[in-house]
Structure formats: structure tokens, C-alpha cells
Amino acid sequence: MKHLILSHRVPTFPRPFWIRLIVAASAALLVWVGNGTPAETGYAPTSAATVWDLAEPDDLITPSQGNDTTAFREEDAGFSAHYQVAEHSQGNGQDDLRPRLNVMAITDALLADPDESNANRKKAGRHVDSGGNFGIVELPMAVTRNLGSAVPPRLVTVYYDDRGWVVAYLPADEPAAGIWRYDPQDQDRQVNDLEQNLLVLTINEVLSAARQNVPEIANADHGAVGYYHWEYPECNAFVLFSHESGGGTSEPVRFVVPPTIEHIMASATVLLTSLSTPGQTGVTADLMVDDSAVVSVEQPARLTVSGFELARTEDASRLYEVTVAVDAGATAAGAVMLVYTKPGS
């Protein structure tokens, strides 16, 4: 279940708004709040984001069929997204139901080079494991559309089986912020940070391959998938928000985490999106929480992702500030992801 929040980067003028994590009886919401004073300008947040629930997919971990003894490898998985293809039939009766996914055909397609028009995957996948009713493939997914080979692809593992399950996941121990994808063509990236995240795009690589045998299989949009962190089953919610800098230090995004929220797993990523001079080296970018760089990148590298410890206090009004800082003449973008446990759950 998803819950609407309002979020936006803070403008250059002083403004009594911040993003605040509020605990409700059954959910956590991120909302903009003020101190009750009149607004100093006509500024208002224009974009929305979402706090998403984490829940283990029902009926995924079951014994494999026939002689295949290997199915989903939960011990290898970290942060994940899951989707199950609906049943489809060749006729009108139950006897006409066919396997939801042709796993052998999908495996062949994923291990081949993708079509040249595919902006999300530029290389062939790597075989991990397969059987008569399941497949596991590692896919190199493009983190950004505009930097080409300057940013190496992120490897995402995907499991699929003939019951229609498709589960895309980062490897265990990899920071959850690694699902973030930067697309400069998005007109409102505050909204779309998760709409085209790498896990959703990976699931749709599988579904695209599946349409070779079952044309009626449609792509899964972000709202149709579920999420789960296999390493931290006690965590049942997450939020991701991003920021950009056109040079120097950006204006801050601010948020509060009440002390009643526990088990927060924080991670961040930062990407150098342009250089002042092509081929320039030594340019640095940082994603800052308060006055500390929690993740940094230096050219010739263009992307870094890392977990970090979010400093906690008993002060319910503790205000965190997130900024992106980059050398003059260059631009950068980054994201912070919080995976946490809602109180009372």
C-alpha cells in the first residue's frame, strides 16, 4: 500500500518548510509542514513522492517442481522488487491454462544482446542458474541514459519462474540506494525517482522477453510491483528522494525522523552528470547530510553508492539537511534512501 507525501527541494529564499517523517497508527508519511507563520512568498511544493511498504511476496519461496531443486535464492538477495504475471490461457477452459512464463525462451532472450533501441540494457545478461521451471540471470542495467559508457552499468539479478513470479534484486550487502536511476529526460524527477528505478526496469526486461511467446503480457509499472528487503525483514517501509546541483552546493532538502522510528537503514548515491570540460579529471561531487559527505565521487569515476549511519537523537524536532555539492562548472545529482521499521508494527 502506498501513501502520498509532498516533497520538493527548498528554494533559495528562506522558507519555513521541511520534509517531516510522521508516525501514524498504521502508516508513516512524509509531508511538508510549516511553523504556522504566513508564507513569505508564493512558493508551494509542486511534486509528490511516496512512502512505500515492504512486504515479503506471498507463495514465492516454495519447493521447485519436478527434478529442479533450486528456486529463488533468498540468501543472495538484498533490496528487491517483485511482480507476478496473471494467468493466461489458449482457450476458455481451465485445461487450456499454460505456464505463465516460458522460462527457457526468456533465458535465451536475456542471454542475447538486447535490441539496439533498448536504452535500459546495452549488454547481454550473465547466466546464474536455471531449470525446467525457473531462471536466474544477472543483467547489466544502465544507471543513466545520457552518459553512456562513462557510467558502468549496475548489475541486477532477476529470478523468474513458470508460476509467473519475477523478482529483481540487488545482491546482498549492496546499499538499497543502488536502485536509483537518473534520467535527464524526465520533466519532474522528484516524482519519477522510483517510476523508472532499476528494479522495475529489470522486471520489464523479463516481461518484454516473455511477450515473444505470450503477446498479451504487459509491462509492469511502478505502482504494480511490491518491494521487500531480504536482509532486513523487520523493515516494512522505505522512501527515496533525490536532489540536483547545477554547480556549487544545492539548496537543502530537509526532513525529521521521530525517535520512535527504529531500524533505519540509510544509503545514498551521487552521480556526476556533466563536467565543465570534456575529459576533465579530478572533479568531485558529494551528497551531504548536514555537514558531512555520506557519499562522494571523483572523476574519472562518475557514480558512487554507499550505506551510511544516520545520526539519531532523542530530539523529535531534529532537522536533517540533504544537499548535493559539486565543483564549479560541473553538475551532479544524488539520492538518499531510508529503509525503516514503522513503530508498532
Side-chain angles (χ1 to χ4, degrees):
M1 180 180 178
K2 60 185 181 181
H3 310 281
L4 292 179
I5 63 172
L6 296 175
S7 66
H8 200 78
R9 60 180 69 99
V10 175
T12 55
F13 40 79
R15 180 64 176 163
F17 285 111
W18 56 89
I19 301 176
R20 186 176 184 183
L21 198 60
I22 297 177
V23 181
S26 61
L29 305 179
L30 275 169
V31 299
W32 283 85
V33 296
N35 62 5
T37 60
E40 296 177 8
T41 73
Y43 171 85
T46 59
S47 62
T50 305
V51 173
W52 293 88
D53 287 343
L54 294 171
E56 183 176 1
D58 294 334
D59 194 36
L60 171 62
I61 306 301
T62 60
S64 295
Q65 302 170 9
N67 295 323
D68 300 325
T69 58
T70 302
F72 182 73
R73 300 177 174 184
E74 57 183 307
E75 68 279 3
D76 294 341
F79 195 86
S80 70
H82 53 269
Y83 179 79
Q84 188 171 29
V85 175
E87 289 184 336
H88 42 263
S89 65
Q90 294 171 316
N92 296 320
Q94 287 295 319
D95 292 340
D96 295 319
L97 290 177
R98 43 185 176 165
R100 300 185 189 187
L101 295 176
N102 184 326
V103 298
M104 296 182 66
I106 291 172
T107 300
D108 289 342
L110 297 180
L111 296 181
D113 288 328
D115 186 271
E116 291 183 359
S117 63
N118 190 335
N120 304 319
R121 180 169 67 95
K122 296 297 187 180
K123 299 180 181 179
R126 184 185 71 87
H127 180 263
V128 176
D129 200 2
S130 61
N133 70 316
F134 75 96
I136 304 175
V137 173
E138 189 178 70
L139 296 180
M141 302 298 294
V143 176
T144 180
R145 296 184 63 175
N146 69 325
L147 296 178
S149 60
V151 180
R154 186 171 303 284
L155 298 179
V156 179
T157 307
V158 63
Y159 164 92
Y160 44 92
D161 63 29
D162 61 358
R163 298 172 298 149
W165 280 112
V166 184
V167 186
Y169 56 92
L170 299 178
D173 299 326
E174 186 165 323
I179 72 170
W180 179 68
R181 181 175 187 265
Y182 178 83
D183 187 347
Q185 298 181 16
D186 287 343
Q187 296 301 308
D188 191 348
R189 283 183 287 277
Q190 290 288 339
V191 174
N192 294 329
D193 289 338
L194 283 170
E195 295 294 331
Q196 295 291 313
N197 75 70
L198 292 183
L199 300 184
V200 171
L201 294 177
T202 301
I203 288 173
N204 283 325
E205 286 290 304
V206 174
L207 300 183
S208 177
R211 282 196 291 275
Q212 297 179 19
N213 294 90
V214 187
E216 61 264 34
I217 292 178
N219 273 5
D221 60 36
H222 170 57
V225 305
Y227 293 90
Y228 186 62
H229 205 313
W230 295 91
E231 292 179 278
Y232 304 104
E234 71 277 9
C235 293
N236 54 16
F238 77 96
V239 65
L240 181 148
F241 53 93
S242 72
H243 209 6
E244 297 177 288
S245 172
T249 300
S250 68
E251 294 297 326
V253 168
R254 298 182 173 106
F255 65 94
V256 169
V257 181
T260 49
I261 291 180
E262 300 178 355
H263 304 297
I264 290 183
M265 312 303 299
S267 57
T269 183
V270 65
L271 171 70
L272 272 168
T273 54
S274 74
L275 305 174
S276 57
T277 303
Q280 183 179 5
T281 60
V283 179
T284 62
D286 303 304
L287 190 141
M288 315 279 291
V289 176
D290 295 336
D291 295 324
S292 299
V294 298
V295 61
S296 302
V297 66
E298 181 177 355
Q299 175 70 5
R302 298 293 286 266
L303 175 75
T304 304
V305 60
S306 178
F308 69 94
E309 189 74 24
L310 187 69
R312 303 297 304 277
T313 69
E314 293 300 317
D315 182 2
S317 63
R318 162 69 189 275
L319 190 66
Y320 298 88
E321 290 195 348
V322 176
T323 54
V324 176
V326 63
D327 291 346
T331 63
V336 170
M337 189 163 180
L338 304 178
V339 179
Y340 62 97
T341 304
K342 294 180 285 190
S345 57

